[in-house]
Amino acid sequence: MADFDLVLKGTVVLADRIVDGGHVAVRDGKVAHIGQGAMPAARERHDLSGALILPGAIDAQVHSLSQKNQEDFIWSTRSAAAGGVTTIVDMPYDEGNLVCSAEAVRRKVDHAGPQARVDFALYGTVDPQEGPARIGEMVEAGVAAFKFSTFGTDPKRFPRIPAALLEDCFRAIAPTGLTAGVHNEDDEAVRAAIARVKAAGITDYRAHGLSRPPLTELIASNQIYETGAATGCPAHVVHCSLGRGYEIASAYRAQGFRATIECCIHYLTLDEENDVARLGGKAKINPPIRPRAEVEKLWRHVAAGNVTLVSTDHVSWSEDRKTNPDMLANASGVPGLEVMVPLFVKGALERGIPLTRAAELMALNPARHFRLDHVKGALEAGKDADITVLTPEPYSYDAAASGHNVVGWSPYNGIRLPWRVSATWLRGKLAFDGKRVLAEPGSGAFVRPLPTLVSAGAP
């Protein structure tokens, strides 16, 4: 009789060590054992000698519903499965449905559940007109964190939260133990910079970086962390493009505050002088892609342990919303779910950074951050058998050729990747076989944090 349902053998990459010639044993959809040497008996065994076996990635920042009738969970989770991402954390800024109440959370869960091919967790936010009144009910409904913005992209879908209201929201969240994540661009400073760019008549690729210079980002980051320090709420900068931002976060942590910081894969891959110049609107992201010197600073912060999470900030805008010759007229954001893990592995290996960082920044830390680590984030006994396998098969990425994206464009098209996602297991079941996404819609489940420490607003 087989001891396990599934055993995979290869180089097992954990957050604290690499197990050469290791194996992962699975029983009833859970990791049962991590070992080394001969594979134990199992109903299904795969000797993947030469392959990397990592915990399934958790993408901390996904926008599945930013554009109506476009991507939706049917496609975002398909891209995720093909990219070795077994859990996505979806943002609350859905076109036509700001996720700012328990009812909105339930509506989104009911909408996403029948479509999702991998597991999903949800962010909540607030309607500026209501303030923090509904934070408690969203906590009870199962959100994994809250998201706000110091910059107003749209007054309804992506509103600015002024400083006083941000403080009120942080105070309401603090007793729950959940984190307040904030988009870090100062509204007044950005609008002044945009006005200067427009007055100068600059419309080419340079316009975006000039309209959001470094100071606009750093002012907001300091506000976010200081608000967390004043309220006792865990404060999180959801994307930082500047080395200085990681220094600021590290300084707050050194003072004993819960100050976390996220780096998106595009900031570790693309640069302004080459990629934005070449791609134009297809590389327009907020905050902007910075010069190559800044990219290398970020990798040094990855190596030093100053980065908390790595995510995609994935959004699949239709191509017509990314190809306007007037740089500032394009939508902001790019797809990345299918290539985050291979891109990070490529960048880390090129710089001599141990691959344990991949397991830490794209699995363990996100699970802890969203309080999902009772079931997610590590190849440990008792946790979900979410597994990503990469094999050394160099290839040039082509979003249109892969067939796993709702759009056929990507800023990463043409990048040569040394390792390919060749299999993804979700809770012990094969979700992607290297070519086809096998996970059917509805295979994914809504994942919520452990019960809150104290209900928001409780005495």
Side-chain angles (χ1 to χ4, degrees):
M1 182 176 177
D3 297 326
F4 304 105
D5 299 324
L6 171 70
V7 173
L8 304 176
K9 182 176 181 178
T11 300
V12 180
V13 180
L14 307 174
D16 62 346
R17 68 192 188 282
I18 293 177
V19 184
D20 292 315
H23 57 258
V24 179
V26 176
R27 185 188 300 118
D28 298 329
K30 302 286 187 181
V31 175
H33 172 68
I34 302 294
Q36 195 170 23
M39 287 192 292
R43 289 193 298 108
E44 182 182 351
R45 300 199 306 170
H46 299 279
D47 189 340
L48 306 170
S49 179
L52 302 174
I53 301 173
L54 294 97
I58 300 171
D59 191 342
Q61 193 167 177
V62 175
H63 298 261
S64 298
L65 294 165
S66 282
Q67 184 178 346
K68 274 189 175 180
N69 305 315
Q70 174 64 9
E71 183 167 41
D72 219 328
F73 284 82
I74 197 79
W75 278 103
S76 65
T77 57
R78 179 172 174 172
S79 295
V85 176
T86 50
T87 304
I88 66 169
V89 186
D90 211 74
M91 285 290 164
Y93 303 116
D94 305 337
E95 188 173 13
N97 179 39
L98 189 68
V99 182
C100 57
S101 68
E103 175 55 32
V105 173
R106 287 190 289 268
R107 188 163 59 242
K108 188 164 183 177
V109 172
D110 291 344
H111 172 85
Q115 296 188 33
R117 303 171 193 266
V118 302
D119 291 347
F120 63 97
L122 297 179
Y123 264 98
T125 189
V126 300
D127 181 334
Q129 302 303 312
E130 289 186 329
R134 295 186 180 274
I135 282 174
E137 68 181 51
M138 284 186 281
V139 172
E140 295 300 319
V143 298
F146 287 89
K147 169 76 182 292
F148 310 105
S149 181
T150 54
F151 178 79
T153 300
D154 181 276
K156 291 293 184 185
R157 189 185 71 82
F158 203 115
R160 172 180 176 248
I161 305 300
L165 178 53
L166 190 69
E167 179 184 352
D168 290 344
C169 291
F170 273 45
R171 289 194 187 282
I173 295 165
T176 75
L178 296 185
T179 297
V182 189
H183 179 112
N184 51 316
E185 293 182 298
D186 182 81
D187 193 90
E188 182 181 12
V190 169
R191 295 195 186 283
I194 290 173
R196 288 194 295 270
V197 170
K198 289 184 174 180
I202 301 170
T203 61
D204 63 13
Y205 80 92
R206 298 169 299 154
H208 190 50
L210 291 171
S211 74
R212 286 167 146 85
L215 190 57
T216 63
E217 187 178 333
L218 299 174
I219 290 171
S221 295
N222 276 286
Q223 178 197 343
I224 293 159
Y225 290 134
E226 202 59 40
T227 304
T231 60
C233 182
H236 180 65
V237 165
V238 298
H239 37 43
C240 180
S241 68
L242 299 160
R244 174 66 180 148
Y246 296 89
E247 294 169 5
I248 292 168
S250 179
Y252 273 91
R253 288 195 299 274
Q255 294 169 46
F257 299 113
R258 290 175 290 180
T260 51
I261 191 163
E262 190 167 331
C263 189
C264 298
I265 194 64
H266 41 259
Y267 299 131
L268 293 170
T269 305
L270 307 174
D271 66 56
E272 183 180 39
E273 61 267 39
N274 296 295
D275 301 300
V276 183
R278 173 175 55 89
L279 295 165
K282 288 184 176 178
K284 181 173 182 267
I285 301 163
N286 297 335
I289 300 297
R290 304 296 184 182
R292 175 53 53 176
E294 206 67 53
V295 176
E296 296 308 322
K297 285 183 186 177
L298 301 193
W299 277 109
R300 290 195 287 275
H301 282 290
V302 168
N306 293 332
V307 178
T308 311
L309 316 174
V310 169
S311 68
T312 62
D313 201 1
H314 170 98
V315 57
S316 291
W317 297 111
S318 55
E319 201 162 3
D320 62 299
R321 297 185 68 170
K322 297 292 287 182
T323 52
N324 195 309
D326 181 352
M327 185 66 170
L328 297 185
N330 292 286
S332 295
V334 299
L337 272 162
E338 194 179 7
V339 283
M340 174 178 70
V341 175
L343 284 169
F344 185 87
V345 168
K346 168 186 167 68
L349 290 174
E350 288 175 347
R351 293 164 179 82
I353 295 171
L355 289 183
T356 51
R357 285 278 187 241
E360 177 189 9
L361 300 182
M362 295 185 290
L364 180 63
N365 284 4
R368 289 175 173 171
H369 183 81
F370 296 106
R371 294 177 54 201
L372 306 175
D373 54 321
H374 56 299
V375 288
K376 299 291 181 185
L379 298 176
E380 292 178 359
K383 295 190 177 180
D384 287 352
D386 296 344
I387 304 167
T388 301
V389 175
L390 287 89
T391 48
E393 302 174 59
Y395 71 105
S396 295
Y397 180 64
D398 184 335
S402 84
H404 301 305
N405 305 273
V406 72
V407 291
W409 69 270
S410 167
Y412 309 114
N413 277 352
I415 292 181
R416 190 76 175 163
L417 295 166
W419 291 82
R420 180 191 295 270
V421 176
S422 60
T424 305
W425 270 269
L426 174 68
R427 286 178 268 112
K429 186 174 181 180
L430 188 63
F432 176 64
D433 67 2
K435 294 182 178 179
R436 299 168 300 154
V437 173
L438 305 179
E440 295 291 336
S443 301
F446 177 48
V447 188
R448 54 187 296 158
L450 286 172
T452 56
L453 302 177
V454 180
S455 294

